Amino acid sequence: MEYTSSEDDELIEDYVDLEEDIMTSDVEQQAGEVAASLHFFNHQDNSLSLVHTIGNELIVSEADVKSQDPHLGMEFESDTVARLFYNAYALRLGFGIRVARSRSERRKGIEVLVMKRFVCLKEGHHKKKVTELANKKKRKRLSIRDGCPAMMEVVRRGADRWVITKLVLEHTHVVVSPDKVREIQLNQLTGKDREHENLLREMRQKIFGEGGAQGLLEHFKKVQAENSGFFYSMNVDDRNCLANIFWADSRARIAYKYFGDAVVFDTTYKKNENMMPFAAFSGVNHHLHPVNFGCALIIDKSESSYAWLFETWLTAMSGRHPISLTTDQGKALGAAVAKAFPTTRHRICKWRVLSRCKKKLADVYSRYPNLPEELKKYVLECETSDVFEACWKLVLDKYNLRENSWLQLVYNIRNKWVPAYLKDSFFAELHTAQRSESINTFFRKNFDTKISLQAFISKFDQAMDNRYEKELQEDFDALRSQQILKTDSHMEKQTAGIYTRAVFERIQAELVEALDHYTEKIQDGAISKYTVERHGDDHIHRRHIVAFNESEKKAVCTCYKFESSGILCKHVLVVFFFNGVVLLPEHYILKRWTKKAKSGIVFDEGDVETQSYCQESPTLRYHDIFHDALKVAEKGAASIETYKFAKEVLLKAFSEIAGLEEEVLRHGYQHV
């Protein structure tokens, strides 16, 4: 599912360095990782006491952290707590800090952070960069670094256990009073950095107004008290100001278990000045309707900010990575995706690229009015990369555009947005040229005027309630409705009873179109090959090749429809019928598209990655178990019989867990 923003006026960021990204500050690039995050869960945690507001800014207060000096061997429950402690210590003494180094290790397939080093802002020396353009004018900067050795390094020694292993308390400079620290931080910002700071301040004022951040925090605390499956997290920047917010309710997290294979990270709010800086993780359910996987308010659009958001979202989703992720175009965003989702297929929304072309090529389009449609046609209709390459070169030569820098740029990243290069990856799309409604499209329809943050959240919750109710009604109707058949095919009757109405209609269309095609075998063997063409169509580019393994009843078509959408194409169906395959083989029935997509209680017993991820923290273990328990509640509430049975099973499980807990305490076992 891709975005649905209007391709006429949507503005997007450049994916590569064609234009500078004004939201990424030099301070961030020099300091490395500077964002501290606060996670809020339904358990006793002093992190809540660390937060308060001044004006419209949510900040972290040093007053609530124990007034003690760091020492070797000192322990913390996380690197975030360690940073907050060192920051509070630095504020008391009167110096600024930053993160100088961090190190991760791959454990059981998961990248785990194992070390962080916090240093004084005056640590090190700025190195002069050697540039080939000697005559290029560079902005002169005064460096505040003088080689100060003060630092604190913490290392992970187990789950929820970080230990100070290196510590230097002495400074080579005079420290200033605490009330001067903020002033020093602001004075560091010059030019582009100060512009970045001002933009963030204006954004916070627009979102929260006076004291709005505290109001949002109180709202989230109230929601979590009523629903312990509700997840939210906030992070602050290196000046302890609120940078971003993420939240997801239990329904979004459960939906991700069923439909989280293909995810869209939608940031189309940027088009509308009245919209909150709202972003949504979303997908498509078995009724082809958008489903929410969590939301965010994005104040800071730097790479580190996006990295925090993706890491937090993965935590809320039990560490499960999607197969594919579709995003907007942007340098900072793309870099964060590459780091957070190394095994996920990243796609840039093609509609955003085509929309950006209208802005970047406005003069060219005015001279050649047929060019926009030609570009769009070749992008959407070329089924192979070879055909696309030929058509692209044809367009460049026809309109004398080989030297156009924008077209060179989008061509260089064609493997991330042109469908011909992405056909072998799953994106949960049952259409090619048509765009599905996204979560943000829905919000643009409903939030087209300026409203307060609290009104936004309230209206958002109500909209999600309506969507979930609609999905439940469609689930109910799908189990009782009868599909209208158009052929005498046994396969059509079979699929009519398996798939939801919306998906069956797509499959039915492929079955009907298969009747208008013919096939011819071109290669024998264990894996034979066939050409498939439409009757009366001699166009060579519309001829498809299907490789067929008769013994296993498996086939692969050059259109890759099943690989990208999860339903078989008409070309494979023609070959199946030719070889006497009258029923759809079980391995081609993707459960996520069926009426029973959400049936059964799947506890991920074989999901080693998720279990390993959850072992990192009691909080993650809590949310993973809660996720499974919610499935029991959903099924148990369906009838009196299932309710009684569920209660009996849960009481028995609780009794056994309590007994195990007593046994552990009796023998003095400790979990590390």
Side-chain angles (χ1 to χ4, degrees), residues 255-268:
Y256 183 74
K257 285 283 186 179
Y258 299 122
F259 309 114
D261 42 15
V263 176
V264 170
F265 178 59
D266 195 344
T267 54
T268 50

Side-chain angles (χ1 to χ4, degrees), residues 195-320:
E195 180 183 2
H196 179 223
E197 176 74 8
N198 291 337
L199 283 171
L200 296 184
R201 185 179 296 277
E202 291 174 7
M203 183 71 75
R204 294 187 190 100
Q205 178 65 41
K206 176 183 177 181
I207 298 171
F208 301 114
E210 295 298 328
Q214 186 64 34
L216 179 63
L217 177 60
E218 294 301 323
H219 171 76
F220 282 165
K221 289 166 62 178
K222 179 181 177 181
V223 173
Q224 192 177 70
E226 297 171 352
N227 178 3
S228 56
F230 180 78
F231 180 105
Y232 71 101
S233 183
M234 302 179 181
N235 85 309
V236 295
D237 61 20
D238 58 329
R239 284 170 292 281
N240 291 330
C241 295
L242 183 64
N244 297 294
I245 307 168
F246 170 80
W247 71 96
D249 64 20
S250 57
R251 296 173 299 187
R253 300 171 71 195
I254 288 179
Y256 183 74
K257 285 283 186 179
Y258 299 122
F259 309 114
D261 42 15
V263 176
V264 170
F265 178 59
D266 195 344
T267 54
T268 50
Y269 68 83
K270 288 180 290 185
K271 173 191 170 196
N272 191 337
E273 291 182 354
N274 295 324
M275 281 287 292
M276 292 285 178
F278 174 85
F281 293 91
S282 62
V284 60
N285 65 16
H286 52 327
H287 301 293
L288 304 187
H289 291 155
V291 58
N292 179 35
F293 298 143
C295 304
L297 290 177
I298 301 179
I299 301 170
D300 182 4
K301 296 190 297 178
S302 64
E303 179 183 335
S304 62
S305 178
Y306 282 125
W308 171 87
L309 178 58
F310 293 147
E311 179 183 348
T312 302
W313 178 74
L314 283 173
T315 299
M317 302 300 149
S318 302
R320 183 191 295 270

